[in-house]
Amino acid sequence: MNDVLQVIRSHRSIRKFKPVPLTNEQIDAIVEAAQMAPSSMHMQPFSIIGVTDPKLLEKIAKRSNNPCIGECGYFFIFCADLYRILAAGDPARQAAMKRNLGSTYVFQTAVLCAGLALQNANVAAESMGLGAVMIGGINEALPELDKWLELPEFVIPLCGLAVGVPDESPEQKPRLPRSAVFFENRYNPNLKAAIDEFDRQIADYYGSRLFNRRKADWSGKLTAILGQKLPVDMYTKYVRHKGFYLVE
């Protein structure tokens, strides 16, 4: 097994960090790795905001209920960004460009490309012996987060990445069996047996890990969350307010 695969297979989310800031060289390497991610049409429709203001870090950490944001060595926020290409366009074309940029297809492209950059950054951090955790909970700070970061139209924050020197060594969570994830030629909807087996593995994991033991399984937890009315209407309104009308 080569070194890249070893880093990927060893992934664990780290939420406790030693009070050691990242060096400029480490930050540059992580951002460079993110920029090397592939993107459709070479559009590169994402931006990365490094948050260093202690007061801003504290506000984001509090609103998203993620203390590690204020304790990590460096905090990145990955954004879908189509403002850059809009600003580069001829003013005479911008009205037509906005109609396309607001489409579901282009929005999905921007989110996918930002996600690929985020994963590159995560792998780069772990390859340097650092720990990291992706924090989608930054969206709990919307819409104020948008104002704090002074984001223009067509730029929305998607996920944070807290990086630093690890101060914990958690067990690795089991993954779904390959038979429930990887199919050849056509999708296989007969998943119950694989899910039941995975639920048993996850229940054993939660019940035996060293910290934060609990009684839970995979499908039970997720179906309970998704079976209730979630406060997602605000997010849809926010995305549309930013110019993504999500039309055909």
Side-chain angles (χ1 to χ4, degrees):
M1 182 183 303
N2 63 42
D3 292 342
V4 175
L5 290 176
Q6 185 60 46
V7 170
I8 292 172
R9 292 187 65 174
S10 300
H11 167 71
R12 295 167 297 167
S13 293
I14 300 297
R15 293 177 174 84
K16 292 184 179 180
F17 301 95
K18 295 180 180 179
V20 180
L22 264 62
T23 66
N24 290 334
E25 290 77 12
Q26 289 171 324
I27 295 168
D28 289 345
I30 290 169
V31 173
E32 181 181 17
Q35 286 197 263
M36 292 306 296
S39 67
S40 178
M41 297 186 290
H42 201 49
M43 191 185 299
Q44 304 167 80
F46 64 89
S47 288
I48 308 167
I49 298 177
V51 184
T52 58
D53 183 336
K55 292 183 178 179
L56 180 54
L57 285 167
E58 182 181 359
K59 288 194 292 187
I60 299 173
K62 183 176 180 181
R63 282 291 302 273
S64 64
N65 194 29
N66 278 281
C68 68
I69 289 174
E71 300 166 356
C72 64
Y74 200 86
F75 187 61
F76 304 85
I77 293 180
F78 283 72
C79 304
D81 182 355
L82 292 164
Y83 173 81
R84 183 188 301 112
I85 189 62
L86 176 66
D90 187 305
R93 295 180 177 177
Q94 286 185 348
M97 290 177 68
K98 284 186 176 184
R99 286 195 295 272
N100 287 317
L101 294 177
S103 69
T104 300
Y105 179 82
V106 178
F107 173 75
Q108 178 177 287
T109 299
V111 172
L112 173 61
C113 292
L116 292 172
L118 172 64
Q119 175 63 5
N120 264 24
N122 192 96
V123 172
E126 292 180 347
S127 75
M128 293 186 283
L130 298 169
V133 60
M134 298 180 187
I135 303 177
I138 61 168
N139 289 299
E140 296 293 326
L142 289 170
E144 288 80 6
L145 179 62
D146 188 278
K147 297 177 182 178
W148 297 340
L149 301 178
E150 299 182 10
L151 302 179
E153 62 179 336
F154 292 106
V155 180
I156 62 172
L158 297 174
C159 190
L161 182 68
V163 182
V165 177
D167 196 24
E168 64 174 351
S169 183
E171 298 93 336
Q172 189 178 55
K173 285 183 179 178
R175 263 46 179 183
L176 281 161
R178 188 172 302 175
S179 62
V181 175
F182 177 69
F183 314 110
E184 286 190 328
N185 300 318
R186 62 186 62 83
Y187 192 89
N188 179 7
N190 300 315
L191 300 171
K192 188 177 187 315
I195 291 173
D196 288 346
E197 175 58 29
F198 186 60
D199 277 341
R200 287 189 285 270
Q201 292 181 30
I202 287 291
D204 289 342
Y205 162 78
Y206 282 135
S208 62
R209 64 183 181 180
L210 294 177
F211 301 100
N212 193 24
R213 292 183 183 179
R214 51 181 162 145
K215 291 184 178 181
D217 60 27
W218 179 78
S219 66
K221 181 182 72 172
L222 291 175
T223 55
I225 293 172
L226 297 173
Q228 59 184 308
K229 181 174 175 55
L230 297 175
V232 295
D233 293 344
M234 179 282 296
Y235 188 75
T236 301
K237 292 177 182 177
Y238 165 74
V239 170
R240 288 176 174 166
H241 171 73
K242 295 295 291 186
F244 297 100
Y245 297 108
L246 307 184
V247 295
E248 296 179 1

